[in-house]
Amino acid sequence: MTVIRNPGFARATLGLALAFSAPLPLGAQEAPHGHPQPEARQAPRGPEGRRLPPDSTTQHSLTLPDGRTLAFTATAGSLPLVDESGKLQAEIAYVAYTMAPEAGRPRPVTFAVNGGPGAASAYLNIGAIGPWRLPTGGDRISPSQPVALTPNDGTWLDFTDLVFIDPVGTGYSRAADGNGKAYWSIDSDAATLSAVIARYLRVNDRMASPKFYVGESYGGFRGPLIAEKLQEDIGVGLSGMVLLSPVLDFAWLEAPRANPWGYVLKLPSLAAGALERKGTVPTPALLGEAEAYASGPYLSDLLKGPSDAGAVARMTETVAPLVGLDAALVRSQGARLSTRSVQREIDRAGGRVASAYDTGITGWDPNPDATQSNFDDPQLTAIQAPLTSAMLDLYARTLKWPVPNMRYELLNNAVNHGWSWGSGRQAPEVFSNLKGALALDGHLRVLVAHGFTDLVTPYFASKLLLAQAPAYAAGRLDLAVYPGGHMFYTRADSRASFHRDVARLYADALKARDGDTTPGKAKDAP
């Protein structure tokens, strides 16, 4: 995989203007999910050629499981990208949840973007941090499950306003000419999203608000690039970022096959899965031994090569019980366990396969007796139908923004397969951009969050990489790991811990922004 460098298009994208109009009243309809009747307001059209309906603004009051009540405004709509002549280039769909500020102080505003590339922001919106959540917890997911949303006990709306953005080709966001290829590259994507964020801030009079970013998976990769472009090209500074299950350096996760590094990075996550299967909740302390072995004796023996019988024997003796797999299987692979084989072997006796995104979630193997089996991922694939249906229902009935004549793209393979990674010799990375953003702004705070049992973006990769950050990042660049996988927030305990850790980061960032940098002053964050 190679890195993209397309500065010409990036500069052109940053020059795009966005049209936005104030909302006008529209009659309300019946609200689902037990909400009070929302009053819908819609904005007039914008530039000629827009396909998406006018923005809709509704009012809601939500009682959380702990008894707290949130009264908030929801806006569903789009921001039209136009060129200097006013010609429509693209429509960027978004959903915003805002609350009235307290004591005259502007509330923080957080921009949320998912990954893929090709994923809409629904995963973060109704899966993790929005006011409503689609229940998908447990070790099995059914595509035909009910799609009714419930109040989200882990919503971030209690301490920040939220704006969920869908990049071109995802959700309802589209290029005006129907060809989004020009937006599907590393630099042009980051430049476009930065321009959308800046325009939202301007047209909604939020420039004085503290600004934050949260990105999941490839959305985490986008974060440092967006922070850099906002800082240097647009003139907007972020107070904090939350990078959820991110890739920070593709070279670490997509090393050549003969490179043993990938096996090192995944071993602690495999060990975490083995702990869960024994009924033990993984913790950093419990995985300390696995991490030390992975980066020490295991790496040393891997470098000796699979032809070294002594090295293979030593690794097998340790790895097999560590990951809870048969020693003969481990030995046959030279203690170099492939993700695909592990997915099948975890519960081969039961005829089930594990998700690469969370080994604690399983589904039936369609070919249990075959030597090899092609199977859909029990989490990523299974969750697409309920998440899509729930998002469509949310748009149409609750947010009063139905889009009847366009396809909603939750996870668009055309974007993923059409993504341009550039033509350089090196794999793309954003760790250098992250270090640069932290160096430029001594108040910026970043939390990198992972799930223990994620084999797609294993937490150990980020742990080892973040250890290479210079001393100036100490106390402002943290790693948090929770039980669960790539979408660890589907687990109630992990969701609650994640909420507490993020609230603390926001409180620390706001104190630093206001000039109070006393260590430990933000420990009692909401």
PDB file of all heavy atoms in Angstrom, residues 425-438:
ATOM      1  N   ARG A 425       6.598   5.113  -2.477  1.00  0.00           N
ATOM      2  CA  ARG A 425       7.158   3.822  -2.087  1.00  0.00           C
ATOM      3  C   ARG A 425       6.761   3.428  -0.669  1.00  0.00           C
ATOM      4  O   ARG A 425       6.790   2.255  -0.315  1.00  0.00           O
ATOM      5  CB  ARG A 425       8.686   3.851  -2.184  1.00  0.00           C
ATOM      6  CG  ARG A 425       9.210   3.829  -3.611  1.00  0.00           C
ATOM      7  CD  ARG A 425      10.731   3.854  -3.625  1.00  0.00           C
ATOM      8  NE  ARG A 425      11.240   3.597  -4.965  1.00  0.00           N
ATOM      9  CZ  ARG A 425      11.530   2.396  -5.441  1.00  0.00           C
ATOM     10  NH1 ARG A 425      11.336   1.327  -4.673  1.00  0.00           N
ATOM     11  NH2 ARG A 425      11.991   2.236  -6.660  1.00  0.00           N
ATOM     12  N   GLN A 426       6.398   4.397   0.152  1.00  0.00           N
ATOM     13  CA  GLN A 426       6.101   4.118   1.548  1.00  0.00           C
ATOM     14  C   GLN A 426       4.600   4.013   1.778  1.00  0.00           C
ATOM     15  O   GLN A 426       3.799   4.704   1.143  1.00  0.00           O
ATOM     16  CB  GLN A 426       6.687   5.209   2.453  1.00  0.00           C
ATOM     17  CG  GLN A 426       8.209   5.240   2.472  1.00  0.00           C
ATOM     18  CD  GLN A 426       8.733   6.275   3.430  1.00  0.00           C
ATOM     19  OE1 GLN A 426       8.110   7.317   3.631  1.00  0.00           O
ATOM     20  NE2 GLN A 426       9.867   6.000   4.037  1.00  0.00           N
ATOM     21  N   ALA A 427       4.217   3.141   2.702  1.00  0.00           N
ATOM     22  CA  ALA A 427       2.809   3.033   3.087  1.00  0.00           C
ATOM     23  C   ALA A 427       2.385   4.307   3.808  1.00  0.00           C
ATOM     24  O   ALA A 427       3.189   4.956   4.482  1.00  0.00           O
ATOM     25  CB  ALA A 427       2.614   1.821   3.991  1.00  0.00           C
ATOM     26  N   PRO A 428       1.129   4.693   3.708  1.00  0.00           N
ATOM     27  CA  PRO A 428       0.668   5.938   4.348  1.00  0.00           C
ATOM     28  C   PRO A 428       0.694   5.831   5.867  1.00  0.00           C
ATOM     29  O   PRO A 428       0.411   4.782   6.437  1.00  0.00           O
ATOM     30  CB  PRO A 428      -0.759   6.106   3.832  1.00  0.00           C
ATOM     31  CG  PRO A 428      -1.184   4.749   3.404  1.00  0.00           C
ATOM     32  CD  PRO A 428       0.040   4.045   2.938  1.00  0.00           C
ATOM     33  N   GLU A 429       1.027   6.927   6.491  1.00  0.00           N
ATOM     34  CA  GLU A 429       1.026   6.997   7.953  1.00  0.00           C
ATOM     35  C   GLU A 429       0.669   8.403   8.380  1.00  0.00           C
ATOM     36  O   GLU A 429       0.854   9.364   7.638  1.00  0.00           O
ATOM     37  CB  GLU A 429       2.391   6.581   8.523  1.00  0.00           C
ATOM     38  CG  GLU A 429       3.570   7.438   8.083  1.00  0.00           C
ATOM     39  CD  GLU A 429       3.802   8.667   8.937  1.00  0.00           C
ATOM     40  OE1 GLU A 429       3.311   8.684  10.097  1.00  0.00           O
ATOM     41  OE2 GLU A 429       4.438   9.613   8.463  1.00  0.00           O
ATOM     42  N   VAL A 430       0.111   8.531   9.584  1.00  0.00           N
ATOM     43  CA  VAL A 430      -0.241   9.850  10.113  1.00  0.00           C
ATOM     44  C   VAL A 430       0.355  10.079  11.498  1.00  0.00           C
ATOM     45  O   VAL A 430       0.040  11.075  12.146  1.00  0.00           O
ATOM     46  CB  VAL A 430      -1.775  10.038  10.176  1.00  0.00           C
ATOM     47  CG1 VAL A 430      -2.374  10.080   8.778  1.00  0.00           C
ATOM     48  CG2 VAL A 430      -2.439   8.966  11.026  1.00  0.00           C
ATOM     49  N   PHE A 431       1.229   9.176  11.939  1.00  0.00           N
ATOM     50  CA  PHE A 431       1.855   9.381  13.245  1.00  0.00           C
ATOM     51  C   PHE A 431       2.710  10.647  13.234  1.00  0.00           C
ATOM     52  O   PHE A 431       2.739  11.397  14.218  1.00  0.00           O
ATOM     53  CB  PHE A 431       2.701   8.165  13.616  1.00  0.00           C
ATOM     54  CG  PHE A 431       3.285   8.233  14.997  1.00  0.00           C
ATOM     55  CD1 PHE A 431       2.474   8.420  16.104  1.00  0.00           C
ATOM     56  CD2 PHE A 431       4.652   8.104  15.200  1.00  0.00           C
ATOM     57  CE1 PHE A 431       3.006   8.485  17.379  1.00  0.00           C
ATOM     58  CE2 PHE A 431       5.195   8.161  16.471  1.00  0.00           C
ATOM     59  CZ  PHE A 431       4.370   8.352  17.568  1.00  0.00           C
ATOM     60  N   SER A 432       3.380  10.913  12.103  1.00  0.00           N
ATOM     61  CA  SER A 432       4.175  12.141  12.018  1.00  0.00           C
ATOM     62  C   SER A 432       3.270  13.366  12.050  1.00  0.00           C
ATOM     63  O   SER A 432       3.616  14.397  12.662  1.00  0.00           O
ATOM     64  CB  SER A 432       5.029  12.132  10.751  1.00  0.00           C
ATOM     65  OG  SER A 432       4.215  12.012   9.602  1.00  0.00           O
ATOM     66  N   ASN A 433       2.097  13.292  11.418  1.00  0.00           N
ATOM     67  CA  ASN A 433       1.142  14.412  11.472  1.00  0.00           C
ATOM     68  C   ASN A 433       0.618  14.617  12.884  1.00  0.00           C
ATOM     69  O   ASN A 433       0.421  15.750  13.341  1.00  0.00           O
ATOM     70  CB  ASN A 433      -0.029  14.152  10.531  1.00  0.00           C
ATOM     71  CG  ASN A 433       0.406  13.847   9.114  1.00  0.00           C
ATOM     72  OD1 ASN A 433       0.744  12.708   8.827  1.00  0.00           O
ATOM     73  ND2 ASN A 433       0.413  14.828   8.230  1.00  0.00           N
ATOM     74  N   LEU A 434       0.384  13.496  13.591  1.00  0.00           N
ATOM     75  CA  LEU A 434      -0.084  13.583  14.971  1.00  0.00           C
ATOM     76  C   LEU A 434       0.961  14.250  15.852  1.00  0.00           C
ATOM     77  O   LEU A 434       0.644  15.128  16.667  1.00  0.00           O
ATOM     78  CB  LEU A 434      -0.406  12.184  15.493  1.00  0.00           C
ATOM     79  CG  LEU A 434      -0.879  12.071  16.937  1.00  0.00           C
ATOM     80  CD1 LEU A 434      -2.154  12.874  17.154  1.00  0.00           C
ATOM     81  CD2 LEU A 434      -1.103  10.609  17.314  1.00  0.00           C
ATOM     82  N   LYS A 435       2.218  13.853  15.692  1.00  0.00           N
ATOM     83  CA  LYS A 435       3.288  14.482  16.471  1.00  0.00           C
ATOM     84  C   LYS A 435       3.396  15.972  16.142  1.00  0.00           C
ATOM     85  O   LYS A 435       3.617  16.799  17.037  1.00  0.00           O
ATOM     86  CB  LYS A 435       4.618  13.774  16.191  1.00  0.00           C
ATOM     87  CG  LYS A 435       4.705  12.366  16.737  1.00  0.00           C
ATOM     88  CD  LYS A 435       6.117  11.802  16.625  1.00  0.00           C
ATOM     89  CE  LYS A 435       6.542  11.640  15.189  1.00  0.00           C
ATOM     90  NZ  LYS A 435       7.915  11.057  15.093  1.00  0.00           N
ATOM     91  N   GLY A 436       3.212  16.300  14.864  1.00  0.00           N
ATOM     92  CA  GLY A 436       3.290  17.702  14.468  1.00  0.00           C
ATOM     93  C   GLY A 436       2.185  18.543  15.083  1.00  0.00           C
ATOM     94  O   GLY A 436       2.419  19.665  15.539  1.00  0.00           O
ATOM     95  N   ALA A 437       0.960  17.997  15.110  1.00  0.00           N
ATOM     96  CA  ALA A 437      -0.161  18.735  15.696  1.00  0.00           C
ATOM     97  C   ALA A 437       0.045  18.953  17.188  1.00  0.00           C
ATOM     98  O   ALA A 437      -0.236  20.027  17.721  1.00  0.00           O
ATOM     99  CB  ALA A 437      -1.466  17.976  15.446  1.00  0.00           C
ATOM    100  N   LEU A 438       0.561  17.926  17.885  1.00  0.00           N
ATOM    101  CA  LEU A 438       0.821  18.048  19.316  1.00  0.00           C
ATOM    102  C   LEU A 438       1.968  19.008  19.596  1.00  0.00           C
ATOM    103  O   LEU A 438       1.971  19.721  20.611  1.00  0.00           O
ATOM    104  CB  LEU A 438       1.145  16.671  19.899  1.00  0.00           C
ATOM    105  CG  LEU A 438      -0.040  15.709  20.040  1.00  0.00           C
ATOM    106  CD1 LEU A 438       0.451  14.279  20.230  1.00  0.00           C
ATOM    107  CD2 LEU A 438      -0.924  16.119  21.211  1.00  0.00           C
TER     108      LEU A 438
END
